[in-house]
C-alpha cells in the first residue's frame, strides 16, 4: 500500500482485506508472547543493570536499539511503519523506492505509538499473561517487539482507511474537516456492523490458531486453546479498533492542510 501507482487498487475492500490478513499476524504473535509471564522487571525504570548513557527500562533499550538498526535498513521509509522511539533515528542506508505516495504528506505527523505502548504494558499484558517474572527477558522482549510492531502497523493502517474514505466521500468529509468536528468525523467513519464482524472473526481465528494439533483425532478430548478467544475479541473491541479510529480522525483533520 506504500505506492499508489495503480489508484484503482486503492479501495476500502482491498484495505479491509489487508486488515484481515494482519489479524493472523497479531494472533500468532499473541500466542508467542503469552508463553511467558508478564515479566515486570523488563519494563522497570531505571533497569537493574547499568547501561551506559541510558536511564530507561531494559525493554526500552532493546526496542530502541532494534529500531535504530531497522531504521538504517529502511524500515521507516515505508508509510506503513511508524517508529515507537522517533528521536534521533539514523537515516536509511538504503535509498527510498520511487513511487507515487498514497497518503497526504501530513500522515507522517500521525503517530499514536506512545498510547499503544502504554496500554500494552499496563493493560494488555496483565490481561493476557500470568503475573510473574521468569527471567526470560530477552526472549520476552523479542516477542513484545514483534507484537507491538504488528499492532502498530494495524492501527496506523487507519491512515489508508481514512484516505480511501475521504476520496470516496469527499463532499461528506470536507465540511467536517473544515469545522474540525472530531465527533462528527468519528461518527461518519464508524461502521458498527463491520466492527461486530471483526470481533467475531478474531475470536474464531484465535480458537482455530490456538488449537493443539495431534495426529490422533479419535479420542474426544476437551479442546484446549493456547489463547482465550474472548480476550482477543476484547483486545480488538477496547484498543485496536478505537485506536485505529483515532488514527483515522487525526489523519482526516490534517487531510486538507
Ligand atoms: O473498515 C473500516 O471502515 C474501518 O474504519 C476499520 C475499522 C477497524 O478498525 O476494524 C474501524 C472503524 C470502523 O467502524 C470499522 C472497522
Amino acid at each position: 500500500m506504500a505506492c499508489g501507482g495503480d489508484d484503482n487498487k486503492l479501495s476500502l475492500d482491498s484495505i479491509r482485506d489487508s486488515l484481515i490478513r494482519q489479524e493472523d499476524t497479531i494472533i500468532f504473535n499473541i500466542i508467542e508472547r503469552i508463553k511467558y509471564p508478564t515479566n515486570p522487571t523488563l519494563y522497570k525504570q531505571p533497569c537493574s543493570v547499568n547501561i551506559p548513557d541510558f536511564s530507561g527500562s531494559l525493554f526500552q533499550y532493546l526496542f530502541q536499539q532494534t529500531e535504530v538498526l531497522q531504521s538504517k535498513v529502511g524500515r521507516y521509509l515505508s508509510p506503513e511503519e511508524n517508529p515507537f522511539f522517533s528521536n534521533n533515528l539514523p537515516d536509511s542506508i538504503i535509498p527510498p523506492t520511487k513511487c507515487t505516495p498514497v497518503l497526504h504528506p501530513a500522515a507522517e505527523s500521525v503517530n499514536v505509538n506512545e498510547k499503544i505502548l502504554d496500554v500494552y504494558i499496563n493493560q494488555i499484558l496483565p490481561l493476557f499473561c500470568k503475573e510473574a517474572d521468569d527471567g526470560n527477558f530477552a526472549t520476552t522482549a523479542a516477542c513484545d517487539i514483534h507484537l507491538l510492531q504488528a499492532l502498530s502497523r494495524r492501527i496506523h493502517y487507519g491512515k489508508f482507511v481514512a484516505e480511501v474514505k475521504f476520496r470516496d466521500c469527499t463532499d461528506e468529509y470536507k465540511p467536517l474537516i473544515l469545522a474540525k468536528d472530531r465527533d462528527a468525523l468519528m461518527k461518519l467513519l464508524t461502521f458498527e456492523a463491520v466492527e461486530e464482524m471483526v470481533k467475531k472473526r478474531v475470536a474464531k481465528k484465535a480458537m482455530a490458531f490456538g488449537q493443539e494439533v495431534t495426529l490422533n483425532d479419535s479420542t474426544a478430548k476437551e479442546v484446549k486453546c493456547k489463547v482465550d478467544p474472548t480476550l482477543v475479541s476484547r483486545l480488538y473491541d477496547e484498543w485496536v479498533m478505537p485506536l485505529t479510529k483515532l488514527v483515522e480522525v487525526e489523519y482526516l483533520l490534517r487531510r486538507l492542510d
Side-chain angles (χ1 to χ4, degrees):
M1 204 54 66
C3 295
D6 179 359
D7 266 5
N8 293 330
K9 278 194 210 146
L10 196 68
S11 70
L12 197 49
D13 280 348
S14 68
I15 287 174
R16 283 182 177 155
D17 282 346
S18 173
L19 294 180
I20 291 171
R21 178 62 186 83
Q22 291 179 53
E23 290 164 1
D24 305 3
T25 313
I26 290 171
I27 295 166
F28 278 117
N29 282 328
I30 294 172
I31 292 172
E32 283 309 287
R33 173 60 182 88
I34 65 176
K35 287 196 291 197
Y36 305 98
T38 48
N39 274 327
T41 301
L42 185 57
Y43 316 98
K44 220 178 79 202
Q45 294 187 50
C47 67
S48 40
V49 287
N50 181 31
I51 303 172
D53 306 318
F54 190 81
S55 59
S57 67
L58 183 59
F59 175 65
Q60 281 171 340
Y61 181 72
L62 277 158
F63 202 174
Q64 277 185 16
Q65 294 300 312
T66 302
E67 285 198 337
V68 164
L69 185 60
Q70 293 182 337
S71 182
K72 281 186 193 162
V73 292
R75 183 180 184 108
Y76 301 109
L77 295 176
S78 163
E80 293 180 19
E81 301 294 342
N82 296 267
F84 281 79
F85 304 97
S86 44
N87 283 349
N88 303 321
L89 274 183
D91 289 338
S92 171
I93 51 173
I94 313 235
T97 48
K98 286 193 185 72
C99 61
T100 320
V102 170
L103 298 176
H104 185 279
E108 257 191 68
S109 66
V110 180
N111 185 325
V112 298
N113 278 337
E114 211 179 305
K115 271 200 171 70
I116 296 176
L117 194 53
D118 177 56
V119 295
Y120 179 80
I121 293 176
N122 297 309
Q123 299 182 60
I124 298 172
L125 283 182
L127 190 65
F128 278 91
C129 302
K130 207 175 86 191
E131 194 77 46
D133 254 331
D134 72 355
N136 283 309
F137 300 135
T139 325
T140 301
C143 293
D144 281 330
I145 293 168
H146 281 133
L147 177 51
L148 277 163
Q149 287 182 328
L151 287 169
S152 171
R153 191 178 313 116
R154 195 288 180 195
I155 288 164
H156 288 96
Y157 234 72
K159 297 179 195 179
F160 293 95
V161 184
E163 176 61 27
V164 175
K165 288 180 180 171
F166 177 81
R167 287 190 198 183
D168 288 350
C169 306
T170 307
D171 291 347
E172 285 176 73
Y173 279 100
K174 219 169 168 177
L176 305 182
I177 296 170
L178 291 171
K180 300 189 193 330
D181 191 338
R182 290 177 161 272
D183 293 345
L185 281 169
M186 187 61 96
K187 206 166 158 212
L188 185 57
L189 61 81
T190 296
F191 292 84
E192 272 165 25
V194 176
E195 294 187 24
E196 286 309 311
M197 281 195 311
V198 171
K199 284 188 274 175
K200 282 196 188 129
R201 190 177 50 243
V202 292
K204 197 169 175 185
K205 284 186 181 183
M207 183 84 84
F209 302 163
Q211 263 175 49
E212 286 297 343
V213 178
T214 59
L215 292 178
N216 182 2
D217 290 334
S218 58
T219 45
K221 264 200 312 184
E222 199 189 317
V223 180
K224 237 177 61 194
C225 197
K226 292 183 189 116
V227 58
D228 180 347
T230 60
L231 290 188
V232 177
S233 185
R234 233 181 109 183
L235 169 76
Y236 268 75
D237 186 29
E238 290 181 30
W239 297 293
V240 175
M241 292 195 288
L243 286 167
T244 304
K245 292 200 285 184
L246 174 65
V247 166
E248 290 187 45
V249 170
E250 291 299 331
Y251 177 80
L252 286 165
L253 287 171
R254 294 161 171 82
R255 183 58 180 77
L256 298 172
D257 288 358

